[in-house]
Amino acid sequence: MPDLSHSRNSCFHCGLTATGASACSGEVAGEMQLFCCSGCLEVCRVIHEAGLEGFYSRVQKQEAAMAPPPDLPADIDQYELDEVQQDFITRLADGSCQANLMVEGIHCPACTWLIEKALAGMDGVMLAEVNLVHHRLFVRWHSEKLLISDIMRRLAALGYAAIPFNLESVEGVLKEQNRKLLFRLGFAGFGAMNIMWISIALYAGAFSGISSEYRDFFHWVSCAIATPVLLYSGGPILLAGWRGLVRLRPGMDLPVAIGAVTTYGYSLLQTLQQGEHVYFDTVVSFLFVILIGRYLEAIARRNASSATLRLLELQPRLATRLTEDGEERVAVRKLVAGDLLRIRPGDKIAADGVVEEGSSHIDEAMLTGESRPVHKYAGCRLAAGTVNGEGALVMRVEQAGADTVLARIIHLVESAQGTKARVQQLADRIVPWFVTATLLLAAATFLYWWGEDSGKALLAATAVLIITCPCALGLATPMAIAVSTGVAAKNGVLVRNGEALERLSAVTHVVLDKTGTLTEGRMRVTEVRGEAGRETVLQTAAAVERHFSHPLALAICATVEAEGLAFPVCHQPVLLPGLGVGGMPAGGEGQIWVGNLRLMERQGVMIDASMRAAAEAIESTMAAAVFVAQGEQLLGLLRVEDRLREGAVELIRTLAQRGVGMTLLTGDSVAAANHLKQALMGTEDVRMEVVAGVLPEEKARKVAALQQQGEHVLMAGDGVNDAPALALADISIAMGNGTDVSMECSDIVLMGSDLQKVPWAIALGRQTLKTVRQNLALSLLYNLMLVPAAMAAMVTPVFAALAMPVSSLLVIGNAVLIRRHMQRQ
């Protein structure tokens, strides 16, 4: 609670700075007028009109003395320091900032609604989204209008404590929260066990004729046990319910708090009046059961969505760095580009880099989903988090810390688990009305049964308050998304957001790019023809191509290196787009030309009929025909080709079996495209449209044409030259190779080379949406069955307390089954 001696620019209720704050319509403290920010002004106006401002002020002072806000950092202004902000705040190009915060105190959908609405009302906040599963807040704001510390103080005023989201620190916070919850649970359990003996004595005495003296004594003993349980074990529930009430933003703690306080108050009144029936045992029992449910939910949600924690465990804490004096063990966070690391057998690799010495097999299963170890030798790339096999390696660091592929994967999974699908947004809109309806139903139940039996009316209304919890409804979608994205990450499929999973379920047509998607994207020289000899042809071509980096040049140079040949010196390299390359050899014995038939004809190189026929035969397949000449003399012909990815044929067959339409896009000739189609389909009758000779912008037009025909299009490409088509498609998948992957160009990234992950991802999307619908049905069925039963006084508060967490656990358990379903795919 802020000090009353604040300035006019500080809101009395929440403590936030609010330039031009309006006069508070509440009471005046001495000669000083209090002021409100825009978020609190409306609440104060309502309280003032109801004549409750004095009561509200006293309650606020009592709340400040008895129940301070959740623990905040000792110096919250530390989060305004640049060196602190760089660890958790991202500054965008438009001047705005965004950050992920871990919020303590979230446990139901009403909490998420309250936080989102309260922050949305702050001047400068552009977006506020709360993830119920991970208790995480994603917020974006204008840095010139608002400070991050203001947002944290606003959350504290609402009853929530926030810290910057960091997986390691958050893990500690979650453990501490669970420890406190376990203490409260244990205290409530101790009280429940002891008060049960008193209840047994009272119930037995009711049948055998217990004297009023002993009955009153047992009532006071029950009160002595129930009071500390209510205040300690139920304290957080009571405080959260009270904060929601005084701010006119009720959460689901309010109905539970009302039920507990009302039942306790009625029992206390009966005790004071020496009445016959008290319900202290009911208060203790249903608080105990509610805390059991919340503890089980916390454990289940943490286990079900622990994909990012498992990924974090892949990152080693220490690395062995080579120095001039030998070796030293250093923290991974101290590594920089250029460091040399020694990787012993069995070590986890600490950073991204390149092998300098040695060879070994690397287990990349957690990154790519591929179980077979990959052979690595000098020049091969290594990724952080992968595990070294039998050999010793020396690697040079290229990226470390937050720049590694593993760090980007963790960030991607976190972002995906924190996003909301469209179906969840509907559930979020229902929640605030749900709380209001709960209070109205409980009031109606109490009034209905009051005339018959006041005790029965109290218990029935309490049961309604407890049983109508929207936790299952709020968990239906985020729980399924959290589990699905975790399962996908484990299998080398990175999903950027939850909405992508929803769109995957509706895919009817798949558009496939050839190079880098159906093929490996790595060209190879597979044949050399010419009277000059193999070595001469290769060396002459490499002399020019070594100056360029296009796929054909890389393939030729890689072949020369693999065969141990030397690279002749060449001057004045020139690139002729659409034709080839040229250059002048060191001896000046005639210009070297490397390219297609048109280039040879332009330079006057004589090509006989046999060579022309050979070139035509090569071009009719998936290969490229590359002529090599010096001066006007033809030296030879190179066949450079790409290979189909392993599993490409199985991909086409699987999609066809599932009734998904397919289109193949390639920039190759019609003959080459038809050859590829035949290689993919074999003798099977598979319907697949092949479009040859297309440019990147033409691929996008083809995607748009399919969408106009009513198709829901998935585009799979290499994430580079397919960017226009990937952006236009309803859902896009980019192929990766585990260490060099574009994570910003598509909705989904395949870290490995297994093409079967494409239909697997479609199946995951469909299973996710199916699970979400099942969860929503379970939560609605729960309320349709038990709410009428509670209103009919057929359900006790204790049974209601049992049923409330069971509904949430059913939703969580159903979401966890996604793992089992996907193992069968």
Side-chain angles (χ1 to χ4, degrees):
M1 182 65 60
D3 194 324
L4 293 181
S5 61
H6 63 285
S7 68
R8 177 183 175 88
N9 292 337
S10 179
C11 174
F12 165 62
H13 303 286
C14 65
L16 291 184
T17 55
T19 304
S22 304
C24 178
S25 50
E27 69 177 27
V28 177
E31 299 297 326
M32 182 182 65
Q33 176 70 53
L34 305 180
F35 296 93
C36 282
C37 66
S38 58
C40 298
L41 184 61
E42 185 61 28
V43 176
C44 292
R45 184 179 294 112
V46 173
I47 292 174
H48 175 64
E49 291 174 355
L52 299 175
E53 61 266 36
F55 169 73
Y56 179 50
S57 177
R58 289 193 299 275
V59 168
Q60 281 191 310
K61 293 171 185 176
Q62 291 173 3
E63 185 181 5
M66 299 176 59
D71 294 336
L72 287 173
D75 183 9
I76 197 171
D77 292 327
Q78 66 179 303
Y79 294 113
E80 301 306 331
L81 300 176
D82 291 338
E83 55 269 28
V84 176
Q85 289 189 354
Q86 67 182 4
D87 292 333
F88 74 101
I89 292 180
T90 303
R91 301 186 183 278
L92 304 179
D94 60 358
S96 62
C97 296
Q98 64 183 34
N100 282 295
L101 302 177
M102 173 72 179
V103 183
E104 180 182 353
I106 296 176
H107 56 263
C108 77
C111 296
T112 68
W113 174 82
L114 170 61
I115 293 173
E116 290 177 352
K117 292 299 181 184
L119 294 186
M122 296 180 67
D123 184 26
V125 173
M126 303 165 63
L127 177 66
E129 286 189 349
V130 177
N131 182 273
L132 178 60
V133 176
H134 297 90
H135 296 185
R136 191 190 321 162
L137 166 66
F138 173 79
V139 61
R140 183 181 300 159
W141 71 97
H142 290 292
S143 55
E144 67 275 8
K145 295 183 179 180
L146 202 63
L147 301 176
I148 186 65
S149 56
D150 291 336
I151 297 174
M152 290 180 168
R153 290 191 178 95
R154 179 60 167 163
L155 289 169
L158 295 171
Y160 304 94
I163 61 173
F165 182 85
N166 175 279
L167 279 173
E168 294 180 347
S169 62
V170 164
E171 181 71 1
V173 171
L174 291 176
K175 287 181 178 179
E176 179 63 19
Q177 289 178 359
N178 288 344
R179 187 181 67 86
K180 291 180 180 179
L181 182 57
L182 192 59
F183 283 161
R184 297 182 189 276
L185 171 61
F187 190 81
F190 177 79
M193 287 188 293
N194 284 277
I195 205 170
M196 194 58 62
W197 293 108
I198 307 299
S199 301
I200 292 173
L202 288 171
Y203 289 136
F207 291 103
S208 60
I210 189 173
S211 66
S212 60
E213 180 181 354
Y214 287 113
R215 184 191 63 206
D216 293 341
F217 172 74
F218 284 133
H219 285 176
W220 280 110
V221 173
S222 298
C223 180
I225 295 174
T227 301
V229 171
L230 178 66
L231 295 179
Y232 174 67
S233 297
I237 297 175
L238 301 182
L239 290 175
W242 174 250
R243 290 189 182 101
L245 179 63
V246 298
R247 292 178 175 85
L248 300 183
R249 289 173 174 170
M252 275 315 301
D253 277 326
L254 179 58
V256 177
I258 291 175
V261 171
T262 305
T263 306
Y264 176 85
Y266 177 84
S267 301
L268 181 61
L269 181 62
Q270 287 290 304
T271 301
L272 292 172
Q273 295 177 350
Q274 299 182 344
E276 296 185 7
H277 301 291
V278 296
Y279 303 100
F280 291 118
D281 59 331
T282 300
V283 175
V284 174
S285 298
F286 81 66
L287 282 176
F288 174 54
V289 173
I290 286 174
L291 290 175
I292 290 177
R294 289 193 174 180
Y295 184 75
L296 292 177
E297 284 181 35
I299 298 300
R301 283 189 288 188
R302 181 172 175 268
N303 292 337
S305 58
S306 59
T308 50
L309 296 177
R310 290 195 298 270
L311 286 171
L312 184 66
E313 292 171 357
L314 291 174
Q315 178 69 61
R317 299 290 184 269
L318 297 173
T320 302
R321 183 167 60 187
L322 300 181
T323 65
E324 294 181 357
D325 300 326
E327 300 178 356
E328 62 176 350
R329 296 286 283 174
V330 297
V332 169
R333 64 177 179 273
K334 292 184 178 180
L335 296 178
V336 296
D339 284 346
L340 290 176
L341 304 181
R342 185 179 300 282
I343 313 296
R344 295 183 173 89
D347 283 354
K348 289 182 180 178
I349 295 171
D352 291 354
V354 178
V355 177
E356 291 285 319
E357 299 177 12
S359 68
S360 182
H361 285 81
I362 305 297
D363 182 1
E364 298 181 339
M366 195 58 188
L367 289 181
T368 66
E370 297 178 0
S371 58
R372 291 179 299 179
V374 181
H375 184 221
K376 300 288 185 176
Y377 45 86
C380 293
R381 300 185 62 84
L382 299 175
T386 55
V387 181
N388 187 24
E390 74 288 351
L393 301 173
V394 174
M395 69 169 289
R396 184 175 298 278
V397 175
E398 291 188 342
Q399 289 91 26
D403 296 327
T404 64
V405 170
L406 177 61
R408 285 183 287 164
I409 291 174
I410 292 174
H411 175 72
L412 198 63
V413 175
E414 289 174 7
S415 301
Q417 292 183 338
T419 57
K420 293 184 178 181
R422 285 172 293 184
V423 67
Q424 183 182 350
Q425 296 170 5
L426 175 61
D428 290 345
R429 289 195 294 267
I430 295 175
V431 167
W433 299 100
F434 202 103
V435 178
T436 304
T438 295
L439 298 176
L440 293 176
L441 288 174
T445 302
F446 182 80
L447 294 175
Y448 179 82
W449 292 107
W450 177 259
E452 178 179 330
D453 184 347
S454 60
K456 186 176 184 180
L458 176 65
L459 295 180
T462 302
V464 172
L465 288 171
I466 297 172
I467 211 165
T468 51
C469 179
C471 290
L473 181 66
L475 286 171
T477 299
M479 199 71 244
I481 290 175
V483 173
S484 295
T485 51
V487 171
K490 185 177 180 180
N491 285 273
V493 179
L494 304 183
V495 182
R496 293 191 63 193
N497 53 66
E499 191 174 343
L501 287 170
E502 188 175 350
R503 295 199 303 269
L504 267 174
S505 63
V507 168
T508 60
H509 199 100
V510 175
V511 176
L512 299 164
D513 175 55
K514 190 204 85 170
T515 305
T517 304
L518 290 176
T519 64
E520 295 179 352
R522 294 191 296 269
M523 307 294 284
R524 296 173 176 83
V525 177
T526 58
E527 183 181 1
V528 180
R529 297 189 181 190
E531 296 180 359
R534 178 183 179 87
E535 292 185 2
T536 300
V537 174
L538 285 173
Q539 286 183 295
T540 304
V544 182
E545 294 287 13
R546 66 181 303 184
H547 298 281
F548 303 97
S549 59
H550 56 81
L552 293 177
L554 295 176
I556 294 171
C557 293
T559 302
V560 170
E561 288 180 353
E563 296 186 7
L565 303 177
F567 287 86
V569 178
C570 180
H571 304 293
Q572 301 175 5
V574 58
L575 174 65
L576 304 173
L579 298 174
V581 296
M584 182 63 68
E589 299 176 354
Q591 188 91 353
I592 297 174
W593 301 107
V594 182
N596 56 25
L597 180 61
R598 286 183 296 164
L599 176 61
M600 299 299 112
E601 292 176 342
R602 175 180 294 186
Q603 301 303 325
V605 178
M606 299 298 296
I607 300 177
D608 59 31
S610 62
M611 278 294 191
R612 289 178 181 269
E616 291 176 2
I618 292 173
E619 296 284 356
S620 66
T621 64
M622 293 188 297
V626 179
F627 292 96
V628 181
Q630 187 168 6
E632 296 183 355
Q633 180 184 0
L634 179 66
L635 299 180
L637 174 66
L638 301 177
R639 180 190 182 100
V640 186
E641 63 181 335
D642 199 357
R643 292 191 301 184
L644 282 176
R645 281 187 186 271
E646 183 179 353
V649 176
E650 289 74 11
L651 167 66
I652 302 301
R653 185 180 299 118
T654 302
L655 292 175
Q657 290 173 350
R658 297 184 182 182
V660 178
M662 290 171 285
T663 297
L664 171 62
L665 302 180
T666 176
D668 294 342
S669 64
V670 175
N674 288 332
H675 181 273
L676 175 61
K677 180 179 179 180
Q678 184 63 33
L680 289 170
M681 296 188 302
T683 58
E684 296 190 18
D685 183 17
V686 177
R687 296 184 59 186
M688 181 174 66
E689 181 186 10
V690 177
V691 182
V694 293
L695 299 175
E697 58 271 18
E698 293 173 336
K699 295 179 182 180
R701 285 198 291 268
K702 181 59 181 178
V703 170
L706 288 169
Q707 290 172 327
Q708 292 174 359
Q709 296 171 14
E711 300 285 1
H712 195 88
V713 179
L714 181 152
M715 172 69 186
D718 59 12
V720 183
N721 60 350
D722 300 318
L726 289 170
L728 188 60
D730 297 289
I731 187 80
S732 55
I733 294 181
M735 305 297 295
N737 60 10
T739 56
D740 186 15
V741 57
S742 173
M743 296 186 181
E744 301 298 328
C745 65
S746 60
D747 301 302
I748 298 172
V749 177
L750 301 187
M751 292 299 295
S753 58
D754 186 1
L755 288 173
Q756 283 298 314
K757 297 301 183 185
V758 175
W760 186 90
I762 296 175
L764 177 64
R766 292 176 178 175
Q767 183 61 49
T768 302
L769 188 61
K770 179 181 177 181
T771 300
V772 168
R773 289 170 176 169
Q774 290 173 345
N775 285 348
L776 292 174
L778 282 172
S779 60
L780 293 175
L781 181 64
Y782 157 81
N783 284 287
L784 289 175
M785 290 178 59
L786 294 184
V787 172
M791 295 181 68
M794 298 170 61
V795 173
T796 65
V798 176
F799 179 84
L802 283 169
M804 182 179 68
V806 166
S807 64
S808 297
L809 291 174
L810 283 175
V811 165
I812 295 172
N814 190 43
V816 172
L817 288 178
I818 292 175
R819 295 175 180 169
R820 181 176 298 179
H821 291 307
M822 296 314 300
Q823 287 174 355
R824 300 171 183 170
Q825 295 293 325

